[in-house]
């Protein structure tokens, strides 16, 4: 049996939004001058709550839904605890 490993349009759209924010607010020069460039904008996008349940103000997405967006944070060399904040911090307590 073959598995479909392609990301959905929604997953790629989230990644594109993260990429746009990081291109605008986290250019290589900013990495040298600011502590955490782009974090405020990503928080405004709701990126750090994507895995939180909807009843807690999140989007209730699955981890696989966030993978393309996490790739964009790596592409931009976003400094700071991205996985800890967006993934581990966003998981409901019973799923950590």
């Amino acid at each position: 049996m073959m598995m479909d490993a392609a990301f959905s349009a929604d997953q790629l759209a989230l990644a594109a939004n993260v990429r746009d924010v990081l291109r605008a607010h986290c250019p290589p020069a900013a990495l040298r001058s600011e502590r955490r460039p782009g974090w405020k904008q990503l928080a405004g996008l709701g990126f750090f709550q994507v895995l939180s349940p909807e009843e807690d103000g999140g989007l209730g997405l699955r981890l696989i839904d966030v993978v393309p967006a996490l790739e964009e944070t790596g592409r931009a060399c976003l400094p700071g605890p991205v996985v800890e904040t967006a993934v581990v911090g966003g998981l409901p307590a019973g799923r950590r």
Side-chain angles (χ1 to χ4, degrees):
M1 177 192 271
M2 206 162 154
M3 189 170 117
D4 180 14
F7 290 113
S8 71
D10 288 340
Q11 293 165 333
L12 295 175
L14 174 61
N17 285 330
V18 169
R19 181 185 319 116
D20 291 344
V21 165
L22 293 173
R23 280 186 181 157
H25 299 284
C26 191
L31 294 175
R32 295 179 197 97
S33 64
E34 294 183 43
R35 178 140 169 80
R36 291 196 180 155
W39 277 70
K40 183 177 179 181
Q41 293 79 11
L42 286 176
L45 183 66
F47 179 64
F48 299 120
Q49 294 84 25
V50 292
L51 296 177
S52 297
E54 291 181 58
E55 58 269 14
D56 294 335
L59 296 179
L61 299 180
R62 300 170 302 146
L63 184 57
I64 191 67
D65 296 325
V66 184
V67 169
L70 289 172
E71 288 178 347
E72 294 302 328
T73 66
R75 184 184 326 274
C77 297
L78 181 67
V82 176
V83 172
E84 294 87 340
T85 305
V87 178
V88 177
L91 289 175
R95 291 180 53 201
R96 290 186 196 149

